[in-house]
Amino acid sequence: VLDDEPARGVRQGADPAGPRTLIPTEPANRLPEAAKAFWRTLGAFAAVPAVVAAVAFLGTIGLVALPVAAAAVAIVPVVRWRRWRYEVREDEIDLQHGIWSVKRTLVPIRRVQHVDTSVGALQGSFGLATVTFHTAAGQTEIPAVERGEAEAIRTRVAELARTRDDV
Amino acid sequence: MRERRLHHAAVGAEALSGLRGIAIPLVVLAVVGGGGADRIVFFGLLGLAFAVVTAFVAWQTTRWSYGDGEVRLRRGLFSERITSVPFDRVQSIDTVRGPVQRLFGVVELHVQSAGGGSGGEIVLKAVTPADAAELRAAVADEADEPGAEPAAAAAEDPERSLTLSTRSLIVAALTSGSLAVLLPVVAGASQVLDDVLSEEQAEMFVPETWTDLALIVAAVVGFAWLLSFLGTIVAFAGFRATRDGDRIRIERGVVERRAATVPVARIHAVRIVESPLREPFGLAQVRIESAGYAQEPASAQTLVPIVRRRDAVEVIARLLPELAVPLDVLDRPPPRALRRFVLPPVVAGVVAAAVPVGLFGAVALPALAVPLAAAALGVGRYRAAGWRLDSRLVLRSRRLARTTSVADVHRLQRVTGAQSIPQRRAALGDLEVAVSSGRRLGVRHLERATVDDLVGRLAATAARPG
């Protein structure tokens, strides 16, 4: 049966009118530009001590840590920002992110038990906040959005989740 | 709301479980100290006294009650902890009858809350049957009767219940060995050797030939296997699962007799697990994934302790027709996915084998079997991978054990499609879904288009009521 071409076609969604239009190609919103600066600063906090330690322990060979650290500060935040997209729709939360592996995650709003927003000390100075969605199967988060947007997402999801309450 | 004490049998039961917790450290302590039998007796009595005193204090400072729509447990010597579970959050009231409870004719009650996690539940170590019945009645009055004992008629109906023959129990126990049991044994054994023996004595245990090594490995594996054999017998003797309306009642265990009730509405997936010892014999175990039971041990999530794989669907249909769908006709990853499955374990295997060969030279050449085994595992993973989506989502994959999962699409908690950089070149991707127990089920290296399509369909279905 595995080699039954028609059966396989139907299952894999060959019907062009159907399944593929169920979700958009990608989530609509990007993270704010400030996220890049925030991650860069965060990266620098880790990278500078790492380079210093490498040089201190290994001498000049330790300088190979420099390009790695530079990439962590200069390149990774940009790529990460370019990959991150999110959207809160009526039925689901839609997230896309990842550098090595790009992940598209959909969380049905009905399953959201509660929503948190939190602001880290450094994060706050960039005017950013984290939104965390809790479900029975664990949590999912948007790591850096503007504070007002974070509040708006929390309110909206809480409202949508309340009207569709189940486990 | 009248506050009650636990039955005084709770002191014995608590002391017994306390003693079990400190038994191994005590034995090690007594042995390490040397000094013969009187020392061991001394440490034994010390441990016993400690366990009894702790248990007595715990009993003295514990009160439970129900009323005003909730079950409450208040305990603590210096700081008071109060746990309360509202009646409408009570998922089930499970019972455990250990040796002490049976001696005094009482029961241990586990008030399972719907919130999930082990923190939300209340354990009452010893309650008289009359008190237990009163509590069940009170909960059943207010909530949707989750406290009620199931009708005896259902248990008699072979169409809706499953028992385990002695032969099946022994087969289950013989094939129950797993790495999870092996590792603590090895760790414990090496710890004891380390503590107990002098350097020269320990030298004797360092293998000098492959035969010696094989003997030691065989002894350790044999011991672990014996432990898991006994553990399985104790956990599953007298197993009976019964479908009763919208609940499944599972009774099991010989030293501790356990009875649990799981609402069918909270079972969102089943997994058919074919562990390496069972797969060659065409045997499998069926586990349930249920909200609220995530923190419980694996034995508490077992719906069918042992079954022939080809009979699995039929047995599931008897207890849980909601999730009984055919499992053998699955779509597979494309042939070009094979190397994605094989390469990572082989690379890991080569690295693992290179270290001993580098260190010890030709003597360690048998270590080259590791990458070969890894390649076989990779092929096995490729051949295990499969999926089907109709009224239910069926996913099959392998880590070591081949696992086939059936999930209720309307209850999925999260749907993820992932694509790594090498997968992007090959137009492949991974699918992963999470169910309410927190377990993640997935299949790797499917066609990219298939993953996108599945993510869309699954998310759309999960978002709607069903």
Side-chain angles (χ1 to χ4, degrees), chain B residues 193-260:
Chain B
L193 285 181
D194 229 36
D195 292 344
V196 176
L197 303 177
S198 68
E199 196 102 333
E200 297 88 65
Q201 283 172 314
E203 286 278 299
M204 298 191 331
F205 284 88
V206 174
E208 284 175 358
T209 65
W210 284 107
T211 333
D212 285 359
L213 182 66
L215 278 176
I216 290 176
V217 169
V220 169
V221 169
F223 185 61
W225 182 71
L226 184 68
L227 279 189
S228 87
F229 177 87
L230 294 175
T232 306
I233 298 280
V234 166
F236 291 124
F239 184 92
R240 179 200 286 277
T242 311
R243 175 64 183 258
D244 179 37
D246 56 358
R247 304 178 166 268
I248 291 177
R249 183 175 165 84
I250 298 173
E251 295 154 273
R252 64 188 178 83
V254 58
V255 180
E256 286 184 330
R257 190 82 186 134
R258 291 165 182 273

Side-chain angles (χ1 to χ4, degrees), chain B residues 227-446:
Chain B
L227 279 189
S228 87
F229 177 87
L230 294 175
T232 306
I233 298 280
V234 166
F236 291 124
F239 184 92
R240 179 200 286 277
T242 311
R243 175 64 183 258
D244 179 37
D246 56 358
R247 304 178 166 268
I248 291 177
R249 183 175 165 84
I250 298 173
E251 295 154 273
R252 64 188 178 83
V254 58
V255 180
E256 286 184 330
R257 190 82 186 134
R258 291 165 182 273
T261 317
V262 189
V264 169
R266 303 190 72 86
I267 302 177
H268 300 158
V270 292
R271 292 187 304 137
I272 295 109
V273 182
E274 299 162 75
S275 62
L277 282 181
R278 290 182 177 147
E279 192 180 355
F281 304 104
L283 297 169
Q285 183 168 73
V286 182
R287 307 219 183 115
I288 48 181
E289 294 297 329
S290 155
Y293 273 77
Q295 317 288 326
E296 307 291 321
S299 51
Q301 297 168 26
T302 302
L303 182 67
V304 186
I306 191 97
V307 66
R308 276 200 192 84
R309 196 196 127 81
R310 62 183 142 87
D311 301 336
V313 178
E314 187 207 312
V315 171
I316 295 171
R318 219 189 293 170
L319 296 168
L320 197 61
E322 292 83 356
L323 289 173
V325 294
L327 304 174
D328 24 18
V329 188
L330 300 184
D331 276 350
R332 308 271 327 279
R336 68 177 189 284
L338 175 60
R339 49 186 282 248
R340 312 264 155 212
F341 280 98
V342 175
L343 220 54
V346 167
V347 169
V350 167
V351 172
V355 174
V357 172
L359 285 178
F360 304 116
V363 193
L365 275 179
L368 290 178
V370 174
L372 287 178
L377 181 63
V379 173
R381 285 179 179 166
Y382 167 69
R383 293 176 50 170
W387 64 275
R388 194 181 67 239
L389 173 61
D390 30 51
S391 62
R392 300 286 177 260
L393 173 68
V394 182
L395 295 176
R396 193 177 64 198
S397 66
R398 174 196 300 281
R399 272 211 297 216
L400 263 177
R402 187 167 82 148
T403 305
T404 314
S405 314
V406 182
D408 180 351
V409 182
H410 290 288
R411 297 295 185 156
L412 295 181
Q413 299 279 328
R414 192 166 67 225
V415 180
T416 302
Q419 200 178 28
S420 67
I421 290 168
Q423 282 178 325
R424 206 169 310 159
R425 268 187 275 128
L428 297 170
D430 302 338
L431 174 74
E432 186 184 275
V433 299
V435 293
S436 59
S437 60
R439 185 168 304 274
R440 297 187 304 221
L441 314 168
V443 180
R444 304 205 60 196
H445 310 304
L446 300 175

Side-chain angles (χ1 to χ4, degrees), chain A residues 25-43:
Chain A
T25 341
E26 56 182 4
N29 313 309
R30 283 185 183 283
L31 300 184
E33 294 277 342
K36 279 189 269 190
F38 166 50
W39 286 333
R40 238 182 238 132
T41 316
L42 214 59

Side-chain angles (χ1 to χ4, degrees), chain A residues 25-27 83-86 94-106 140, chain B residues 414-421 423-424 430-432 440 444 448 451-452 455:
Chain A
T25 341
E26 56 182 4
R83 289 265 190 269
W84 246 106
R85 284 176 162 274
Y86 72 94
D94 187 354
L95 308 172
Q96 180 173 295
H97 64 100
I99 295 172
W100 168 256
S101 178
V102 180
K103 289 186 177 168
R104 177 82 177 270
T105 300
L106 291 126
T140 316
Chain B
R414 192 166 67 225
V415 180
T416 302
Q419 200 178 28
S420 67
I421 290 168
Q423 282 178 325
R424 206 169 310 159
D430 302 338
L431 174 74
E432 186 184 275
R440 297 187 304 221
R444 304 205 60 196
R448 166 78 201 260
V451 173
D452 287 351
V455 167

